[in-house]
Amino acid sequence: MVKKTVKTRSAQRSSPSASPPVSGRRQTEAELRDLQRLAFACISQPLGPGNATLTHFRDGRTMQEVAAGFIKPNDRLTSLDRIAIYNRQYWFRLMDCLWDDYPGLRALLGLRRFEKLRIAYLIEHPSKSFTMRNLGNHLVDFLEKHPELTAPLETMCLDMARFEWAQVVGFDGQEKKPLTVDDLLGQDPAMLRLSLQPYLTLLEMDYPLDDFVIAVKKRDASMRSEASNAVETDRVEKKPRRSRPPKAGKTFVAVHRHQNDLYYKRLEKPQYQILKALGEGETLTDACAAAIVGDGETDSSENPPWLFNLQTWFRSWAELGWFCRRDKA
């Protein structure tokens, strides 16, 4: 899951009416900045039908007029043709990024609906970062605002968007110096407060989407392998089989990385509750007490059976490097 980055930045302000300097006069820095903003505004405009550059700029002028104002034609291409090449490549790169980062959401919606969703998302949330890594950071909010794009799978798609964004965070999120098992020994549980690694995301989902995504990725990998080994024939290629959405079922997952590899780890409900409480700043004692209260399957006057596994859980979490020291307030 390698992330590629591009060096383009969205304009903080733009000058659609910018024009090149008078011939023979040296261009000022301000004029150069205006020219750069104008060029980027043209390149980053959404594509029209058939993935063609729009005929008009956002201020109403024709794109031919705008392009001719700052880029010369050559013996093969008009000014508009030349800027259109960059316009298409810019948008194809953004579209490819969402395709790569959201295979599960794509499998749930199907190709046509996913295409409509990612175009609508990019129009409402254009790239504003130097890295493609951040492109999907508004997708969950966008889906909550536009449930019509995922109906009738709104809840499942929201879970999926959270799950797949957690994988982006897990892949290259910040890592602090982890606490070891020895660092935890002898600590007073009533006073011990831990922090969780920034790259670790805890999810409570209404569907077992971890298993679903694993199946989707295996299917996609198999299809790529078949395509790479295929010889050219006249046979008609079969469309990929639509993945069946999973049945509802409360699922707790930790998305993390270990030794530079990305993993999803299923959690029991008490494990999720303890880790979540610790991440929110509770002491170990209070985190365990909250998990006992939220158990629901054990009488409050009794110790739940999972309490005897607590030491094993903490040893495993510490060995995975999930804990780090809390920042001082």
Side-chain angles (χ1 to χ4, degrees):
M1 185 176 176
V2 178
K3 303 291 175 187
K4 296 182 179 179
T5 61
V6 293
K7 295 297 184 180
T8 54
R9 293 178 182 268
S10 293
Q12 299 300 313
R13 65 181 182 87
S14 60
S15 180
S17 60
S19 58
V22 177
S23 178
R25 180 171 64 83
R26 185 170 181 175
Q27 191 175 30
T28 66
E29 289 187 9
E31 288 172 333
L32 176 60
R33 285 194 295 270
D34 284 342
L35 178 60
Q36 290 172 329
R37 293 187 182 103
L38 176 61
F40 182 74
C42 292
I43 291 169
S44 61
Q45 276 206 132
L47 296 176
N51 290 325
T53 293
L54 295 174
T55 58
H56 287 77
F57 193 50
R58 61 192 184 193
D59 63 1
R61 289 180 293 164
T62 66
M63 280 298 300
Q64 180 65 56
E65 176 189 354
V66 175
F70 70 94
I71 186 169
K72 292 182 178 180
N74 58 29
D75 58 347
R76 298 176 304 280
L77 301 171
T78 67
S79 299
L80 180 58
D81 291 335
R82 297 185 69 186
I83 203 67
I85 293 173
Y86 294 96
N87 182 205
R88 284 193 293 270
Q89 291 306 312
Y90 178 83
W91 268 84
F92 291 163
R93 183 66 187 94
L94 297 184
M95 299 278 276
D96 283 348
C97 181
L98 293 179
W99 178 280
D100 292 339
D101 284 351
Y102 293 91
L105 189 59
R106 172 169 28 100
L108 289 177
L109 292 175
L111 299 183
R112 184 172 298 178
R113 296 190 68 192
F114 182 74
E115 180 80 358
K116 181 179 179 181
L117 183 149
R118 62 178 176 169
I119 291 173
Y121 172 74
L122 290 172
I123 290 174
E124 190 164 317
H125 295 282
S127 176
K128 294 184 178 180
S129 172
F130 72 96
T131 171
M132 300 292 277
R133 180 261 194 207
N134 297 328
L135 190 60
N137 62 346
H138 297 294
L139 186 58
V140 172
D141 292 339
F142 176 79
L143 295 184
E144 290 177 336
K145 183 179 177 182
H146 298 284
E148 72 280 359
L149 293 173
T150 56
L153 303 175
E154 301 99 310
T155 300
M156 190 183 303
C157 288
L158 276 171
D159 273 353
M160 182 63 78
R162 294 187 184 99
F163 180 50
E164 295 191 305
W165 174 249
Q167 294 174 53
V168 175
V169 174
F171 179 79
D172 62 0
Q174 180 188 5
E175 180 176 4
K176 297 182 179 180
K177 183 179 179 179
L179 294 174
T180 66
V181 174
D182 290 341
D183 293 325
L184 303 179
L185 294 176
Q187 298 288 330
D188 182 359
M191 300 296 294
L192 182 60
R193 297 179 190 271
L194 300 170
S195 187
L196 303 180
Q197 289 286 0
Y199 62 75
L200 171 67
T201 303
L202 304 172
L203 295 171
E204 177 182 355
M205 303 187 294
D206 290 319
Y207 297 86
L209 297 177
D210 51 341
D211 287 345
F212 177 77
V213 169
I214 289 172
V216 167
K217 289 183 176 181
K218 285 183 177 179
R219 182 205 65 185
D220 290 350
S222 176
M223 290 177 60
R224 286 194 297 270
S225 177
E226 291 177 3
S228 65
N229 293 326
V231 296
E232 293 186 6
T233 66
D234 294 330
R235 65 184 177 87
V236 177
E237 295 291 339
K238 295 181 179 179
K239 292 182 65 176
R241 186 173 59 183
R242 181 81 175 271
S243 300
R244 180 176 298 178
K247 295 181 179 179
K250 187 65 72 174
T251 306
F252 302 94
V253 175
V255 182
H256 69 109
R257 71 170 180 263
H258 183 60
Q259 297 180 349
N260 295 323
D261 286 326
L262 183 69
Y263 293 94
Y264 339 132
K265 183 176 178 62
R266 279 283 182 101
L267 300 173
E268 298 177 30
K269 183 179 179 180
Q271 292 177 306
Y272 169 82
Q273 292 174 319
I274 291 171
L275 288 167
K276 186 172 184 292
L278 289 174
E280 293 171 350
E282 299 290 344
T283 66
L284 176 55
T285 296
D286 290 342
C288 292
I292 292 174
V293 171
D295 190 318
E297 297 181 2
T298 305
D299 189 283
S300 58
S301 63
E302 301 176 357
N303 287 330
W306 57 259
L307 202 59
F308 299 100
N309 298 324
L310 196 58
Q311 185 176 359
T312 302
W313 291 351
F314 267 80
R315 179 175 293 276
S316 174
W317 297 337
E319 289 174 349
L320 289 170
W322 288 4
F323 298 127
C324 54
R325 297 189 185 280
R326 297 196 68 82
D327 295 330
K328 293 182 179 180

